[in-house]
Amino acid sequence: MNYVSTDKAPEAFGPYAQAVNVNDFIYTSGQIPVTPTGELIDGSIEAQTDQVFANLNAVLAAANSSLDQVVKATVFIKNMDDFAAINAVYARHFGAHTPARSCVEVARLPKDVDIEIEVIAVARD
């Protein structure tokens, strides 16, 4: 097991790793719309979702993986009314690659953000 860390994504807010590599599977912690310098993105849900994907891309790159290696995504959203807008950004980032996915509405997320996404990916050969 190897812990993954990069300064190109926000530091963990608690006692957890940005990601863990186990047998060439990358398990990311949930990424929220916070910049690597700690700035909270509080604009549109589209802007927030784009920041989440920027963070995921950075963590996956540090783990020798990428979005096209993702096998499962879990999306946590504060308001299911944002689903269509989030889905459009999600589709843009994944393109033709369509990993398995769960999406759930939750009462509250860290830092009171509107979205959090975690993924499981395979490391590149």
Side-chain angles (χ1 to χ4, degrees):
M1 177 171 65
N2 296 311
Y3 296 103
V4 177
S5 180
T6 179
D7 61 0
K8 296 182 183 343
E11 290 183 2
F13 298 127
Y16 60 89
Q18 290 172 323
V20 178
N21 181 330
V22 179
N23 297 326
D24 289 330
F25 278 94
I26 314 304
Y27 300 86
T28 72
S29 292
Q31 294 296 311
I32 62 174
V34 173
T35 68
T37 59
E39 178 187 354
L40 184 65
I41 304 297
D42 60 1
S44 69
I45 193 64
E46 292 89 351
Q48 292 179 53
T49 306
D50 276 326
Q51 184 61 53
V52 167
F53 274 100
N55 296 342
L56 286 170
N57 277 316
V59 171
L60 289 170
N64 193 32
S65 191
S66 62
L67 286 178
D68 64 347
Q69 298 295 109
V70 170
V71 295
K72 174 75 165 77
T74 305
V75 182
F76 305 94
I77 59 177
K78 199 181 228 182
N79 186 342
M80 197 56 80
D81 291 341
D82 290 333
F83 181 81
I86 291 167
N87 208 41
V89 175
Y90 180 99
R92 180 169 37 84
H93 283 277
F94 276 109
H97 178 61
T98 54
R101 180 179 79 180
S102 301
C103 181
V104 295
E105 181 180 68
V106 297
R108 195 167 180 200
L109 290 164
K111 305 237 181 237
D112 289 321
V113 299
D114 296 326
I115 184 167
E116 179 175 0
I117 301 175
E118 64 184 28
V119 299
I120 301 169
V122 178
R124 293 189 182 279
D125 295 329

